[in-house]
Amino acid sequence: MPKTSARLLALLSLLQTRRDWPGMSLAERLEVSLRTVRRDVDRLRELGYPIVALKGPDGGYRLGAGTELPPLLFDDEQAVALSIALQVAATTPGNGTAEAAARALHTVRQVMPARLRHRIDTLHITAAAPVPAAAEPTVGGDVLMALSTAAHAREVLRFDYADRGTRRVEPHHIVTWDGRWYLVGWDLDRKDWRIFRADRITLRTPNGPRFTPRPLPGGDVAAYVTGTFHRNTCRGVVILDLPAATVAQYTRAGIVEELAPNQCRLTLESWSWMALAASIARFDADLQVIDPPELRAACTRLAHRFLNVTP
């Protein structure tokens, strides 16, 4: 029979691997009697683990949720995955939980065996932001938790949204997009679905009444958010007198298609037609606008603007 401490750890590990465990199955896996399993379960309860006894012919046990966070056990792959996730969270601009994630990563690393610590130490994640990190809007973990809790409880949220007044919203989902947090919900006053930037939300308390969730257009929150943001972008197609390989080096989000050794088709998006025209103008090459007319007009306006620059 293994020592009590080792057996307790083995029992805890088994309880974490699946929802319900029959008592006899635990006894067989640990090679002990059912009476010993009962005693070990009582010891784990004394240490703060909320283990629920299940009724039935053979009885059983389930690891439930408690009021405090007791020590947890992770296998090697879980520990590595957790460390990677914490490192990403700690280095993501605009993340209000970055400091807490960094402290959690330090705590996890301290208790790791040397073989896992070596694997983690070889991984260094750096988040490159298009603007200085200090200028990025941050969202506190308390705000994200309040938004998520209201969405889970199906309670109407009341909040001030930047300088656009007070909103009453049925929260549906919290999502991330391009390094920012957003709330997807039904705006009760505007009677339509809206996407709100979380860093612009100032919550009012208490929350409103409970509501019955409405079906999200399309049924998939990721597809809805992606479609909404892409509807608000301007997309154009041009032909550039440059090799496709050259254009691809300087185009992160566009689609480049080779037409000839020194010619390619570029499909690109931006937040406005003038911004899209300026993005295309940075390529030092002759070009032909294929579609749409709005891009052609923007290129013409940009050309006139440059012609009128005071020497």
Side-chain angles (χ1 to χ4, degrees), residues 144 173-177 180-184 195 198 221-222 225 229:
L144 293 177
H173 262 81
I174 312 299
V175 299
T176 59
W177 174 275
R180 290 196 176 107
W181 291 93
Y182 293 89
L183 168 67
V184 179
I195 299 177
V221 67
V225 172
F229 281 115

Side-chain angles (χ1 to χ4, degrees), residues 205-221:
T205 54
N207 291 343
R210 294 173 64 88
F211 63 89
T212 301
R214 305 168 190 266
L216 186 71
D220 182 81
V221 67

Side-chain angles (χ1 to χ4, degrees), residues 153-232:
R154 301 174 181 175
E155 294 177 346
V156 173
L157 278 172
R158 297 185 306 122
F159 56 83
D160 296 325
Y161 190 59
D163 57 352
R164 303 177 188 177
T166 302
R167 301 294 184 92
R168 296 183 307 122
V169 174
E170 296 177 354
H172 190 280
H173 262 81
I174 312 299
V175 299
T176 59
W177 174 275
D178 197 24
R180 290 196 176 107
W181 291 93
Y182 293 89
L183 168 67
V184 179
W186 176 267
D187 192 313
L188 290 168
D189 297 315
R190 289 155 182 79
K191 295 181 174 54
D192 197 6
W193 289 95
R194 290 288 190 272
I195 299 177
F196 304 92
R197 273 180 50 173
D199 60 284
R200 296 177 178 175
I201 290 176
T202 303
L203 292 168
R204 288 175 171 264
T205 54
N207 291 343
R210 294 173 64 88
F211 63 89
T212 301
R214 305 168 190 266
L216 186 71
D220 182 81
V221 67
Y224 173 75
V225 172
T226 302
T228 299
F229 281 115
H230 279 294
R231 278 201 305 270
N232 296 329

